Amino acid sequence: MTLHITKRFDFSASHRLEGLPESHQCARLHGHNYAVELELSAERAALTSTGFVRDYGDLSVFKKWLDDTLDHRHLNDVFEENPTAENLAVWMFGQWTKDFPELTAVRVSETPKTWAEYRP
């Protein structure tokens, strides 16, 4: 039996997407109130002695990184690729899978109705 936990984090940032027609709304400078969800998973036999996949408190280092690295920034200046939600999800997964080996997915939302998910 596999158990999953998820925690949501929020940040605000601006970006513009390259490679789109000038008339496309995402080609223009704009901002989002992003939501990021980290999903961690473990088999029941691999839970901590307390019964956790991982203590949610351990994820506070991710929140600090998110605030220090992306919050109230222009993502084109921080991120080497086109800062789409899809690319951000892949990048965040790669940045944090070593610290959180239980990490199974990263979801990035730019609006309450849209999500990109990376689940290798």
Side-chain angles (χ1 to χ4, degrees):
M1 171 194 320
T2 304
L3 295 128
H4 309 277
I5 63 168
T6 305
K7 185 162 183 177
R8 176 183 161 155
F9 304 87
D10 299 298
F11 73 97
S12 298
S14 66
H15 72 160
R16 60 181 297 280
L17 300 181
E18 304 290 335
L20 295 170
E22 199 173 297
S23 60
H24 193 288
Q25 65 188 15
C26 294
R28 297 187 298 268
L29 177 64
H30 63 287
H32 296 288
N33 292 317
Y34 287 87
V36 176
E37 290 183 0
L38 300 184
E39 178 190 274
L40 293 84
S41 303
E43 294 300 315
R44 182 149 191 199
L47 297 179
T48 67
S49 61
T50 325
F52 294 151
V53 170
R54 180 177 281 263
D55 187 329
Y56 285 111
D58 293 347
L59 302 179
S60 63
V61 294
F62 178 80
K63 176 60 174 155
K64 180 169 179 9
W65 174 83
L66 199 63
D67 289 346
D68 292 347
T69 307
L70 301 178
D71 191 42
H72 285 82
R73 308 252 184 213
H74 182 59
L75 297 181
N76 298 75
D77 294 341
V78 176
F79 190 63
E80 292 181 16
E81 295 184 58
N82 213 13
T84 63
E86 294 88 340
N87 284 335
L88 289 168
V90 171
W91 178 65
M92 287 181 201
F93 189 95
Q95 293 288 311
W96 286 93
T97 191
K98 290 177 188 157
D99 292 285
F100 303 131
E102 311 89 349
L103 188 62
T104 50
V106 175
R107 296 179 75 202
V108 176
S109 170
E110 295 177 339
T111 75
K113 295 180 181 181
T114 61
W115 288 90
E117 179 178 289
Y118 179 62
R119 181 182 299 276

